[in-house]
């Protein structure tokens, strides 16, 4: 069927609104009418550095909408269901079977293969890559898969739900699942975008203290204090290790990096308490290298670990996040600014200038 899509044409270039022909659902596919989709840094990262993902492409991986058609083997959802579309996983590999689908053995081909697993784009006609995160939801319709989908309760607007699919889930999951910060533990969060601020909110849910955000933009530091940060540090104001140590003299138990800035993470080794853990969450430019101070790491029992999607199992974790939101304990809706879908390039410009934290595009 004919759909409208925002097509990534070339690195650094604006998205182009185009009419594409979306093929009919295969037996394992679900067609969703997209009502809202979040903009995540990974969309722009892939557009601007499309290693292994051929442009032109339809990106977008925080879709929310209404199931419109299902393939013959689909049983989890039916037309009319309200759904959130998260990342794709196989469901049968050892990591999926133990509740870690973000580390699915098929994660790369299923989410970044540029087409269906059997080959070929789900767009007909001229070549346009599809199946980004198993959805390509910068479009009015998307083909996706049962394991991407989480059903949404009727009282959750699509515009609020969308960022749960990646950004909020990643930030909150990093604290609540991956690092599994204990109540009373101390944490530094680096970077006050959607992922970092979601980590701050989750740290408050978990009862961490202190919760320190390092972020250069004053408005975001102010917002972080409202959302649960106990302290904020402006990295432009001077060396950060003494600033952290002034708050936590023995260092902090956890550092969660949402910035992907190598120099910012490098400094984090000097924030850590004994047996402290650094979680790498923000994606740096390809090929970035961190220098591990081996003697410190050994002497103080430090760890560094990478975290994808907050170690989330969306089927389990998204309902938990929705419950926290409903209880007023995870007010991530405060991060969201909505734009009409056809203003995607204006929205990206606003976000680049730091005027908005989380862009959600609306299809209606
Ligand atoms: Zn798997
Ligand atoms: Zn994302």
């Amino acid at each position: 069927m004919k759909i409208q899509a925002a097509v990534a044409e070339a690195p650094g270039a604006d998205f182009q609104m185009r009419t594409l022909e979306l093929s009919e659902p295969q037996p394992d596919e679900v067609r969703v009418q997209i009502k809202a989709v979040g903009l995540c840094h990974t969309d722009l990262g892939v557009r601007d550095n499309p290693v292994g993902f051929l442009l032109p492409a339809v990106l977008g991986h925080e879709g929310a909408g209404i199931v419109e058609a299902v393939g013959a083997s689909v049983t989890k959802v039916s037309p009319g269901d309200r759904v959130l579309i998260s990342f794709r996983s196989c469901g049968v590999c050892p990591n999926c079977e133990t509740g870690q689908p973000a580390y699915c053995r098929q994660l790369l081909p299923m989410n970044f293969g540029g087409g269906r697993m059997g080959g070929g784009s789900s767009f007909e006609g001229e070549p346009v890559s599809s199946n980004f995160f198993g959805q390509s939801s910068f479009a009015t319709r998307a083909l996706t898969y049962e394991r991407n989908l989480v059903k949404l309760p009727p009282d959750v607007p699509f515009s609020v739900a969308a960022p749960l699919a990646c950004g909020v889930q990643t930030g909150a999951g990093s604290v609540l699942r991956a690092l599994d910060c204990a109540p009373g533990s101390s944490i530094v969060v680096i970077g006050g975008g959607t992922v970092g601020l979601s980590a701050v909110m989750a740290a408050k849910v978990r009862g961490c203290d202190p919760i320190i955000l390092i972020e250069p933009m004053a408005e975001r530091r102010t917002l972080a204090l409202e959302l649960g940060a106990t302290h904020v540090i402006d990295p432009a104001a001077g060396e950060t290790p003494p600033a952290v140590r002034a708050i936590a003299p023995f260092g902090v138990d956890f550092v969660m990096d949402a910035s992907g800035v190598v120099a910012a993470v490098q400094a984090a080794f000097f924030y850590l308490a004994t047996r402290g853990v650094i979680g790498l969450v923000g994606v740096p430019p390809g090929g970035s290298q961190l220098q591990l101070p081996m003697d410190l790491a050994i002497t103080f029992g430090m760890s560094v670990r990478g975290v994808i999607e907050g170690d989330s199992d969306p089927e389990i974790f998204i309902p938990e996040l929705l419950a926290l939101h409903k209880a007023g304990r995870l007010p991530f809706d405060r991060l969201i600014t909505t734009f009409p879908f056809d203003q995607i390039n204006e929205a990206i410009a606003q976000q680049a200038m730091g005027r908005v934290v989380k862009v959600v595009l609306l299809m209606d």
Side-chain angles (χ1 to χ4, degrees), residues 90-105 147 313:
C90 79
V92 295
C93 75
N95 291 332
C96 284
E97 286 195 328
T98 51
Q100 292 290 351
Y103 305 96
C104 174
R105 286 181 176 174
R147 283 189 57 83
D313 185 342

Side-chain angles (χ1 to χ4, degrees), residues 22-336:
L22 184 66
S23 60
E24 287 302 303
Q26 293 187 346
D28 61 341
E29 291 181 337
V30 177
R31 189 172 74 223
V32 177
Q33 181 186 10
I34 304 295
K35 292 290 195 180
V37 59
L39 173 73
C40 178
H41 284 288
T42 305
D43 296 308
L44 301 180
V46 170
R47 180 192 69 176
D48 297 341
N49 188 23
V51 178
F53 204 95
L54 293 178
L55 301 184
V58 178
L59 306 174
H61 63 286
E62 290 184 335
I66 300 171
V67 173
E68 197 171 57
V70 300
S73 65
V74 171
T75 57
K76 179 174 169 179
V77 294
S78 315
D81 284 348
R82 306 173 83 251
V83 291
L84 177 69
I85 316 177
S86 192
F87 61 91
R88 191 178 179 199
S89 58
C90 79
V92 295
C93 75
N95 291 332
C96 284
E97 286 195 328
T98 51
Q100 292 290 351
Y103 305 96
C104 174
R105 286 181 176 174
Q106 302 287 340
L107 191 83
L108 289 177
M110 285 192 151
N111 292 271
F112 301 101
R116 286 167 161 142
M117 287 294 280
S121 172
S122 54
F123 301 116
E124 294 171 2
E126 56 193 313
V128 176
S129 295
S130 68
N131 292 65
F132 186 60
F133 279 80
Q135 54 184 290
S136 289
S137 48
F138 285 161
T140 52
R141 303 284 192 288
L143 288 177
T144 187
Y145 303 86
E146 286 182 309
R147 283 189 57 83
N148 288 76
L149 295 172
V150 179
K151 286 193 198 175
L152 288 172
D155 60 341
V156 181
F158 296 116
S159 59
V160 171
L164 285 168
C166 182
V168 173
Q169 166 174 263
T170 295
S174 297
V175 170
L176 299 175
R177 289 177 64 99
L179 299 176
D180 194 15
C181 303
S185 60
S186 48
I187 185 168
V188 166
V189 176
I190 306 173
T194 302
V195 172
L197 291 173
S198 296
V200 165
M201 287 184 269
K204 186 179 182 197
V205 165
R206 194 42 80 78
C208 297
D209 188 24
I211 302 167
I212 305 165
L213 179 80
I214 300 178
E215 160 61 42
M217 289 174 54
E219 304 82 2
R220 292 185 177 190
R221 292 197 302 272
T222 302
L223 181 57
L225 289 168
E226 294 172 17
L227 295 174
T230 58
H231 303 78
V232 289
I233 294 172
D234 177 2
E239 294 291 313
T240 50
V244 170
R245 294 276 174 166
I247 300 162
F250 294 101
V252 295
D253 301 309
F254 299 101
V255 174
M256 184 280 200
D257 177 63
S259 74
V261 176
V262 173
V265 182
Q266 197 66 55
F269 288 106
F270 301 99
Y271 308 159
L272 282 186
T274 301
R275 302 191 71 222
V277 183
I278 298 175
L280 303 177
V281 180
V283 180
S288 296
Q289 301 283 331
L290 197 61
Q291 287 192 309
L292 179 72
M294 289 174 65
D295 52 345
L296 290 185
I298 293 166
T299 306
F300 298 106
M302 296 171 173
S303 310
V304 180
R305 63 152 296 190
V307 181
I308 289 286
E309 296 284 346
D311 282 14
S312 297
D313 185 342
E315 187 74 25
I316 293 168
F317 193 47
I318 300 278
E320 291 176 8
L321 295 176
L322 283 169
L324 285 169
H325 180 256
K326 194 169 185 176
R329 299 180 68 201
L330 199 79
F332 63 86
D333 54 288
R334 292 190 57 192
L335 311 180
I336 295 170

